[in-house]
Amino acid sequence: MSALQISRLAHRYGDTTVLHDVDLSVAPGEVHALVGFNGAGKSTLMRAALGMIRPKGGVVRIDGVEVAHLNGAGWGRVGHLIDTPFVYPELTVRENLWAAARLHGVPAYAARARADRTLADLELGAWADRRASALSQGNRQRVGLGSAFVHEPRLLVLDEPTNALDPAGVLLLRELLLARAAAGVAALVSSHHLDEVARIADRVSVIHAGTIVGQLDPHGVDLERAFFAMVHAADEAARRVEPVR
Amino acid sequence: MTAAYAVEALKLRRSRVVAVATVALLLVPALLARAFLIAAERGGDDPMSAKASLLLPGLGWSGYLGGLLQIYATAGVVGSGIVVGWCFGREYADRTVVSLYASATPRTSVARAKLVLLAAWSVAVGIGVAVAAALIGTASGLGLPDTADGGVLGRLAALAVLSGLLALPVALPASIGRGYLPAVGGLMVLVVAAQVAMVAGAGTWWPWSVAAVWAMGTDAGMEPVAPVWLTVVPLVAALGAAATVAWWRRAEVV
């Protein structure tokens, strides 16, 4: 059974269709990357996958359960970083991770230890007791990633997780993600960086104008050329089916 | 303590907005009232002394506490409303609300925890306001309050608690408007409506006026308020809280 199964997903804002007939799945132990231009629909797809918006059509299932019916325990197996890192500026880094752990269902007696382990995993120990308001943007992103990882979820949904990270942070995230995947965690990751995607993904789906237009081989040569060719072909196909006025 | 209460309590404890508002509510109205009393007792011909004499219902403790009740009637809702508006509006302004979705802790639990803790904070502030007023009055040379003054201090504490409850509905515009500014706008509407209600003679039943009219009492020239009318305060607080929780249940990320 897929950790995440998206079937015929459709959504629009007003008259603008932002998702159309999207099918996508992520298996346990798999890193599935989603690549596309700005506005292609990556973030909307992820928001729908996490129940943050109610799509106009289609179904999203996590561990076989429709997201509308997923209970607290089910959501406790999900970690995500969408939009903005989970960082409260008045709390210290350690307190932010503790808060994320508690809200994601980690019992009180274990939350402190989980926060400490995540501090070590993301090499945030030097900032552990500093207020988050004093952090650089890159370290705020690390805290946000820590908040997604701290409760040891079985499904990760990460929207542009390398945003603001320095090269060391990118490397750290890659190692963490691959280690989690090796332990059976499913991950859906969006990115603009095709070279980064090639290093971490088992599958790469290209989303364009709200629909999945094809798959890229993450181990193929010249991923960028293949990506642009796929997007161009999708545009051409869309032009051909447009009605003549 | 459940996760939502534990996390919200930590956020409130660490917040500078809450700390500053709490200190301001405890000290500023009392110090202002004491300053007005000093001006009134001076009894000179200057405009400040004349205004202070008109504002205060008397001299000594009765003048000080009477002025304090008048000041707190507005300052209490404004100060508490800023805290409520910050508590809810910041989740949208800082975009942290997105992380509260897809979580083992439902957003409704987070919203409820905020509202319950803010109500508890109002009770603590209410007690603190009365204690601070008594200490400031005593320390500034008014002597010890007598039994009647003690009764007024009790009414001040009640007004402070009720002001906190009256500010809870500000959570709704903060949530619907997704930020601080809608909260401030909602707060201004409540304060202005209370003033209009007083002028229009509806102060004895309008929820955002009735607590102040009751607390100031007939000694200050207010109309008598049947105590049963005070129940509209927790009623509107509960309605505002329920509407806010319902909004948090239904609202999508935008």
Side-chain angles (χ1 to χ4, degrees):
Chain A
M1 183 171 60
S2 294
L4 174 66
Q5 180 75 51
I6 295 172
S7 310
R8 300 186 64 82
L9 191 67
H11 195 61
R12 61 180 182 278
Y13 292 118
D15 293 335
T16 307
T17 298
V18 288
L19 290 176
H20 174 65
D21 247 358
V22 172
D23 292 308
L24 184 147
S25 65
V26 190
E30 180 185 41
V31 178
H32 189 152
L34 197 59
V35 296
F37 294 137
N38 290 334
K42 301 187 296 293
S43 297
T44 305
L45 188 156
M46 290 182 152
R47 286 176 179 185
L50 294 166
M52 295 177 178
I53 56 172
R54 287 183 285 280
K56 305 298 180 196
V59 179
V60 177
R61 288 190 174 85
I62 291 176
D63 287 338
V65 181
E66 273 193 51
V67 291
H69 305 301
L70 204 62
N71 61 16
W75 284 121
R77 293 191 290 273
V78 179
H80 62 86
L81 171 53
I82 306 286
D83 195 325
T84 307
F86 178 86
V87 177
Y88 289 98
E90 71 271 25
L91 303 186
T92 66
V93 170
R94 191 194 307 276
E95 287 170 342
N96 268 293
L97 294 172
W98 173 87
R102 292 289 284 122
L103 291 177
H104 283 302
V106 176
Y109 65 83
R112 174 69 187 243
R114 292 284 185 92
D116 285 346
R117 191 188 313 164
T118 307
L119 280 170
D121 286 348
L122 283 153
E123 296 178 0
L124 284 165
W127 292 272
D129 296 312
R130 276 204 205 163
R131 279 189 179 229
S133 56
L135 294 181
S136 68
Q137 212 177 344
N139 279 335
R140 286 170 67 90
Q141 184 74 359
R142 284 197 196 198
V143 178
L145 288 166
S147 300
F149 283 91
V150 71
H151 54 298
E152 299 180 354
R154 304 304 296 163
L155 169 66
L156 282 162
V157 179
L158 306 173
D159 191 9
E160 305 284 357
T162 56
N163 269 356
L165 291 182
D166 59 12
V170 172
L171 200 68
L172 198 60
L173 170 64
R174 188 191 306 161
E175 287 169 357
L176 268 177
L177 206 51
L178 292 176
R180 296 296 164 100
V185 171
L188 178 65
V189 181
S190 78
S191 181
H192 292 301
H193 303 293
L194 294 172
D195 53 341
E196 183 56 33
V197 156
R199 290 190 177 96
I200 58 166
D202 300 296
R203 268 200 291 170
V204 182
S205 291
V206 177
I207 185 168
H208 183 62
T211 194
I212 302 288
V213 295
Q215 309 275 324
L216 296 174
D217 176 4
H219 309 299
V221 290
D222 207 345
L223 217 55
E224 193 173 84
R225 182 185 292 269
F227 168 75
F228 278 106
M230 196 172 279
V231 168
H232 181 67
D235 282 339
E236 285 298 310
R239 261 194 286 277
R240 279 198 297 275
V241 299
E242 267 181 14
V244 178
R245 293 176 195 276
Chain B
M1 194 186 285
T2 66
Y5 282 92
V7 172
E8 289 305 318
L10 177 65
K11 282 154 65 180
L12 283 179
R13 279 207 316 274
R14 293 282 186 271
S15 163
R16 288 192 179 134
V17 174
V18 177
V20 170
T22 304
V23 172
L25 283 170
L26 294 188
L27 299 182
V28 174
L31 292 173
L32 265 178
R34 188 66 186 95
F36 276 122
L37 182 64
I38 290 168
E41 284 174 339
R42 199 167 53 217
D45 295 331
D46 59 295
M48 187 63 206
S49 297
K51 271 189 185 174
S53 300
L54 281 174
L55 178 76
L56 304 183
L59 297 176
W61 273 101
S62 67
Y64 165 60
L65 292 177
L68 179 49
L69 284 167
Q70 288 181 58
I71 295 166
Y72 205 91
T74 301
V77 175
V78 171
S80 304
I82 287 170
V83 170
V84 174
W86 173 82
C87 191
F88 281 84
R90 64 85 49 95
E91 303 285 3
Y92 295 94
D94 297 347
R95 301 285 298 166
T96 43
V97 70
V98 178
S99 298
L100 300 177
Y101 285 73
S103 170
T105 305
R107 291 183 307 287
T108 49
S109 299
V110 174
R112 272 192 214 101
K114 284 177 184 289
L115 291 160
V116 169
L117 289 171
L118 286 168
W121 171 79
S122 299
V123 173
V125 167
I127 295 166
V129 162
V131 171
L135 290 175
I136 288 170
T138 305
S140 63
L142 293 180
L144 289 172
D146 62 21
T147 311
D149 300 327
V152 182
L153 283 168
R155 290 213 305 271
L156 174 66
L159 173 64
V161 174
L162 294 172
S163 297
L165 296 180
L166 287 167
L168 286 184
V170 170
L172 190 59
S175 303
I176 293 174
R178 297 173 190 270
Y180 309 110
L181 279 181
V184 173
L187 186 56
M188 290 303 109
V189 168
L190 293 181
V191 171
V192 171
Q195 301 298 322
V196 171
M198 294 283 270
V199 173
T204 53
W205 59 267
W206 178 248
W208 285 273
S209 308
V210 66
V213 173
W214 166 80
M216 285 189 270
T218 49
D219 296 346
M222 294 289 145
E223 289 182 53
V225 172
V228 68
W229 273 111
L230 291 177
T231 56
V232 300
V233 174
L235 185 66
V236 294
L239 286 173
T244 303
V245 171
W247 169 264
W248 274 57
R249 180 182 291 114
R250 294 288 302 164
E252 299 181 26
V253 169
V254 293

